Structure formats: C-alpha cells, structure tokens
Amino acid sequence: MEDKAEQYFKCYYSGKWQHDLEWRIRDLKYANSIRDENVGGGKVKNVNTTLNSTIDSIARIEDDRILRDLRHKIETVRSYELTLDHYHVQLLKLRYARKRHTWMIDSNLLYKSVRQCQSDLRAIKDDFNESVFNKAVEK
C-alpha cells in the first residue's frame, strides 16, 4: 500500500499535478458561464462587460478550492526538495519519473548500490512523512 509520501512524490515528479493545475486554470478561464445579471428586467446602462468578465475570471481562478489544493501540494514538495542535496533529488526524480527505470539502472546512474538507493529512498519518505504530516512512521 502506498503511503502519503509515495503519492506526493509520484504525482509531483511525474508531472501529474502540474498538468492538472494547468488544465484546471484553462477550464476556469475559458468556461462558458452564461449568467443573466439583468434578472429583474429593464435595461442595464454603462456596464463594461469585458472588465466584469475579466474580474470574474480572475476571481474564479483565485477562489477555486481545487487550484489552491494543487498549488499547496506542489509547494509542499518543492519546499521539501530544497532541504535535500543533489543526490537525493536525483534519486526522487529517477524513481518517480513518468517513465521509470529498474532499480539497477537508477543505481548505476547514481553510482550507488541498489540496496543503498532503496535505503536512501525509504529514509527520504520517512523524513517527508515526519516533517510534512507530523507523524512518525511505524516500523
């Protein structure tokens, strides 16, 4: 069973969250929201509909809960990534890329043994779970 760290790393390094974020923004920008602001009848005078639609579009993007959640998850992994050294970042990128290799290929690219890479990845996931979700991993 996947733990939270595994899900976060897989979605971040495969580009899934970035793709979802871009599509959600696109959907919100170009959604055809037909709203009748003149519900009571009569004529509306001096209404700048272009300005109102732009403001509505910006407000929809900024107020969207799904976008806020995706941005928060992406920033969580990015800020955690800043605490790691180059080797550990490369290990995460190789293991959770969209097109994954075997452990043997990844370990050769990193100039480490397979066992050492697996141990390092386990330590990264434990540290991520502990620091981000404030819970110790049971062993």
Side-chain angles (χ1 to χ4, degrees), residues 72-120:
H72 175 71
K73 288 177 178 179
I74 290 170
E75 279 305 310
T76 300
V77 178
R78 277 190 187 148
S79 62
Y80 180 74
E81 193 179 50
L82 293 174
T83 65
L84 300 174
D85 62 352
H86 180 71
Y87 160 72
H88 290 102
V89 173
Q90 287 304 108
L91 176 63
L92 287 172
K93 284 180 181 178
L94 288 171
R95 286 313 301 162
Y96 295 109
R98 188 167 294 184
K99 293 183 179 181
R100 292 175 52 175
H101 303 110
T102 63
W103 273 109
M104 184 62 76
I105 293 172
D106 289 346
S107 65
N108 286 338
L109 290 171
L110 295 169
Y111 303 106
K112 300 269 183 162
S113 69
V114 172
R115 183 175 268 174
Q116 183 63 49
C117 289
Q118 290 171 341
S119 174
D120 291 344

